[in-house]
Every structure is written in structure tokens, then in C-alpha cells.
Amino acid sequence: MYESDRDLPYDPQTYKDAYDEMEHGRIRMSGIRSAIEAADAHQDTSYRIYFRLELCRESVFYGDGLDMMVIFPQALAIIDQYPDTEATVHELGYSNSLDHILWVYKWMLEECADFYQVPLEDCLKFFEDFKKRSLAYGYNLRPYYYYKYFFYSDIGKQLSTEAFHKFEELPRDGNCDCEACEQNSIVNFYLKNGDPERAARLAEDIEHFRLTCGHGDKGAWLRLKKQYMKYHMERGEYEEAETYCRMMERHMTKDKEYQRWEDFLWCYANTNMGKALQIYKAHWKEWEQERNPSEIFDVNKNIACFFKKLAKEQTKKTIRLPLDASFPLYDEQGCYLLEDLFRYYYNRARDVARRFDQRNGTSSYCDRLAAALKSGGDLNV
């Protein structure tokens, strides 16, 4: 065993084997960063790109996406300097490093929507750069319109809908997401646009596991359940939504996408307040540590609604909670005013909503927050 990375003879496989043994999330990302530093030091171009794309993957699927926003532009800069870089032995599904970059670029486009810190004009530049690179490589624009559909969902419904239908019209090619992922998005489009019958027909192949996702047999199925859970929650059909909450809890994976505890919190607040309170106690700290602004908005919106409803349902104005000194409103006696808790989470959600709306030139986030609070209790904002 070597005392430090500097003592290791350079072998990219050794670094990969080391971080593959690490726990997903921050720990593994730290291991991948060590691999990046080693590849940089030895000017191993293929692995300089590969390890950065590995960090992007870990950040997206087991983190909050922030690390990818920083590291992916570095991969672009390297491939622009060395455009003929070959793929590593670990990238068997890609013709070369650029092919792999174009696959990961789609995640970057998706994450742009989640970070208000990225100016709108920069987001649109990323889209146009992806479009140019895709066409030059020989791919079509189905993925380009697919991610534009998501990006515009909080900016303009007409633009979003137009992008969706352009995506539908184009054939699948080698840079498209897996068929099950695309099908889930199509199901979600028709659910959101008032055609649940069509959505149900389109969902059948996923429901019966005839279409599965490369991330595991249940990945696409869990994503489908998440969509139906949110569909019923948005309609105020919490008993129906709870059915999907329980399915997701039973089949939960380490992939952060399916750990929708903030959604479970609000659903159970309308069906089983005791369970909702247990969820808050179990997850308040990880919610405080969230770094993805879109997730910060959703989490704090749902917690604010939870405390608003709790204040309406119980006669006492206070609650005892086992929070520690890291909580901004920490009280040594563990006694908190429900109104103070509501306002703390509401203010956090409101501040992020305003930043998104300022970036996007809309009122979409503030409108969503106001609509959510209508279903809460009597506390005023």
C-alpha cells in the first residue's frame, strides 16, 4: 500500500480500480479527482478526458450536478486541443473520446436548467455548441430538441412544446438516450398536457418491463412511478400518489433520482402526518446540505408546505425536534415555533425562485411556489 498518490507509479487502471471500490458520491468523486490529477501530470490525454467524464457521471447520478458543471468544460477544452483523441479501453461503446463527450454533453444541457448561476445566454450557447458538434460528427438533432424541451419547460410552454414535437419527428440515432428513458419523457409530456389515456398506452412497455433502462432493470420503471406520483400530487390526489410513494420506497436504489424524500414528505403530509414528520427528522440535514438550486427550491417548497399544514392540523404552536447546532434556527431545548420553521423554509424557496425567474425572464418558479402554498394551512407569507 502506498502512502500517497505521489508514491504510485502511474497506471490509469490502478486509479480506476481504486475509485471503483469506493462508495458512490463524494468519496468516489474524491478518488476520481486523484485520477484526474495523475492523468494531467502525465499528459495522458485519453484518460484526462475519460476520468473527467467519469466525474461527470458520478456527479449526475450520485451527487447534485455541481461538480459536473465545473469539470465538463475542461473536457471540452481538452478535446478541442486534441480532437483526434482515442477512447480508452473502458469506452467500448464509443468510437473515440469526442463520441463519449457528445454523450455526456446531454447531461450538461440538462443541468443548465438547474443552476440559475449559469446565465440564460450561456445556456443557449451550450445548446448551439452541442448542435454544431453533433451535426459535424454525423448525429441528428433528436437529442438537441429533447433537452431543449426540458430546458424551456420553465421558460415558455410554446417553445417547450415545439421542441418536443421536433424531437418526436426525428429518428433515433447513436447519441440518443436509451429508448426507455425517451419513452418515459414522452409519457410525462402527455400526462402534463392532459392526455392520461395516451400516456397510459405509451407506458405499458415500461410497466411490463419490455423496455428497461441501462442503469438497471427497475430504473425506467421507477422513473415511471415517480412521474405518476407527481402527476397525482399536482392534482391533489394524495391517496393515489401515496401508492406510488410506497412503490418507490420499496424499490429504492442509491441513484439520487429516485430518492424523492421531499416529495414523499409532502405526499404523506396529506395522508399520514406522523410518517411525514419521521421523514423530516431523518432527512433535514441532507436537505440543508443540498447544492443543486433546482433541488433546493423543490425541497424547501415542500418542507414549507409541510410545516404550514402541520401548523393547521395541530393546536400547539410549537414542536420538539432533534436538530443539531448546524441548523440555522437551532434551539438547545429542541423547541421550535412552527411559524418560524415555515418562514425559514419558505424564504429559502422564495429566494431561489426569484433568482431562477430573474435568469429565465419569467415568473414560473414564483408561480409554482404560490400554487403549492395554496394547498397548505393558515400561515401567511
Side-chain angles (χ1 to χ4, degrees):
M1 182 66 67
Y2 296 92
E3 292 183 1
S4 73
D5 288 344
R6 271 177 280 187
D7 297 323
L8 285 168
Y10 177 68
D11 176 9
Q13 186 64 52
T14 300
Y15 284 92
K16 178 169 174 57
D17 290 344
Y19 69 67
D20 279 344
E21 293 295 319
M22 297 177 183
E23 180 183 345
H24 280 299
R26 292 181 182 178
I27 295 175
R28 186 175 292 199
M29 282 193 275
S30 176
I32 299 174
R33 288 185 188 282
S34 294
I36 290 172
E37 290 173 6
D40 285 352
H42 289 82
Q43 289 296 302
D44 187 345
T45 306
S46 291
Y47 277 95
R48 291 182 71 202
I49 294 172
Y50 173 71
F51 286 141
R52 281 173 168 82
L53 300 184
E54 284 278 270
L55 185 62
C56 290
R57 186 184 189 283
E58 193 69 19
S59 176
V60 168
F61 292 103
Y62 301 99
D64 50 32
L66 180 59
D67 296 275
M68 187 192 71
M69 299 298 291
V70 175
I71 208 75
F72 182 75
Q74 295 178 14
L76 281 180
I78 296 169
I79 199 65
D80 285 343
Q81 189 175 2
Y82 305 102
D84 298 323
T85 302
E86 295 181 356
T88 69
V89 295
H90 306 290
E91 301 168 278
L92 298 178
Y94 305 100
S95 301
N96 48 45
S97 288
L98 178 56
D99 195 16
H100 193 177
I101 282 176
L102 289 173
W103 180 268
V104 176
Y105 210 147
K106 299 179 298 180
W107 304 342
M108 181 72 177
L109 299 179
E110 185 174 15
E111 294 296 328
C112 275
D114 288 354
F115 287 85
Y116 60 75
Q117 296 93 329
V118 184
L120 182 62
E121 56 270 26
D122 287 352
C123 295
L124 297 178
K125 285 179 183 177
F126 278 126
F127 271 97
E128 293 314 301
D129 183 61
F130 174 73
K131 178 181 180 179
K132 180 177 71 174
R133 291 175 188 267
S134 296
L135 290 173
Y137 195 81
Y139 287 133
N140 70 27
L141 296 182
R142 184 177 170 97
Y144 168 80
Y145 288 116
Y146 181 67
Y147 285 98
K148 261 207 164 178
Y149 154 62
F150 292 114
F151 180 75
Y152 278 124
S153 62
D154 286 312
I155 298 177
K157 185 173 182 179
Q158 183 176 345
L159 290 171
S160 180
T161 300
E162 288 174 359
F164 176 82
H165 290 308
K166 287 179 180 178
F167 147 74
E168 273 194 316
E169 291 168 1
L170 289 167
R172 287 178 52 77
D173 68 9
N175 203 36
C176 287
D177 285 1
C178 82
E179 191 173 352
C181 289
E182 287 193 345
Q183 191 75 351
N184 253 318
S185 299
I186 295 169
V187 169
N188 194 37
F189 174 84
Y190 288 107
L191 276 178
K192 285 185 173 182
N193 285 275
D195 196 346
E197 292 81 12
R198 185 172 184 178
R201 292 194 301 272
L202 291 166
E204 286 182 1
D205 283 345
I206 298 173
E207 179 65 39
H208 298 290
F209 296 95
R210 292 189 291 268
L211 269 182
T212 59
C213 180
H215 300 299
D217 288 345
K218 288 186 177 177
W221 183 84
L222 280 168
R223 190 173 291 120
L224 182 68
K225 301 308 164 189
K226 181 182 74 171
Q227 291 177 167
Y228 272 94
M229 174 189 69
K230 289 196 169 188
Y231 169 72
H232 288 295
M233 286 173 64
E234 288 169 2
R235 293 165 61 88
E237 299 166 350
Y238 295 107
E239 295 291 341
E240 291 88 344
E242 183 180 347
T243 302
Y244 294 98
C245 286
R246 294 188 181 279
M247 288 183 192
M248 292 184 69
E249 286 183 88
R250 285 197 301 272
H251 299 280
M252 191 173 291
T253 71
K254 291 183 179 180
D255 192 326
K256 190 177 178 182
E257 177 185 353
Y258 311 119
Q259 296 177 11
R260 305 306 302 176
W261 291 110
E262 67 274 17
D263 292 323
F264 301 161
L265 173 79
W266 179 232
C267 180
Y268 284 122
N270 289 275
T271 61
N272 185 342
M273 186 60 82
K275 180 155 187 177
L277 189 55
Q278 289 176 356
I279 290 173
Y280 175 78
K281 291 176 180 178
H283 296 280
W284 72 269
K285 194 160 190 171
E286 69 192 62
W287 287 332
E288 282 292 315
Q289 297 168 347
E290 178 62 62
R291 299 187 301 169
N292 182 303
S294 180
E295 293 291 331
I296 291 171
F297 170 75
D298 284 332
V299 163
N300 286 275
K301 167 179 64 69
N302 286 8
I303 302 175
C305 290
F306 160 68
F307 278 117
K308 194 174 189 214
K309 189 168 184 63
L310 184 60
K312 180 180 181 180
E313 292 191 359
Q314 72 173 38
T315 56
K316 291 178 63 176
K317 294 184 178 181
T318 60
I319 187 172
R320 289 197 171 276
L321 293 169
L323 312 181
D324 65 33
S326 67
F327 186 61
L329 304 184
Y330 175 66
D331 178 80
E332 289 186 359
Q333 306 302 316
C335 186
Y336 300 89
L337 281 169
L338 288 169
E339 182 166 357
D340 286 348
L341 292 167
F342 161 72
R343 290 194 179 282
Y344 169 70
Y345 288 109
Y346 166 74
N347 288 339
R348 293 191 83 199
R350 180 202 60 197
D351 291 348
V352 174
R354 288 174 175 174
R355 291 175 186 271
F356 270 114
D357 286 343
Q358 182 178 19
R359 193 276 299 266
N360 296 337
T362 69
S363 62
S364 175
Y365 274 82
C366 286
D367 291 345
R368 280 163 56 192
L369 179 59
L373 288 170
K374 286 182 180 179
S375 59
D378 298 327
L379 296 179
N380 295 316
V381 296

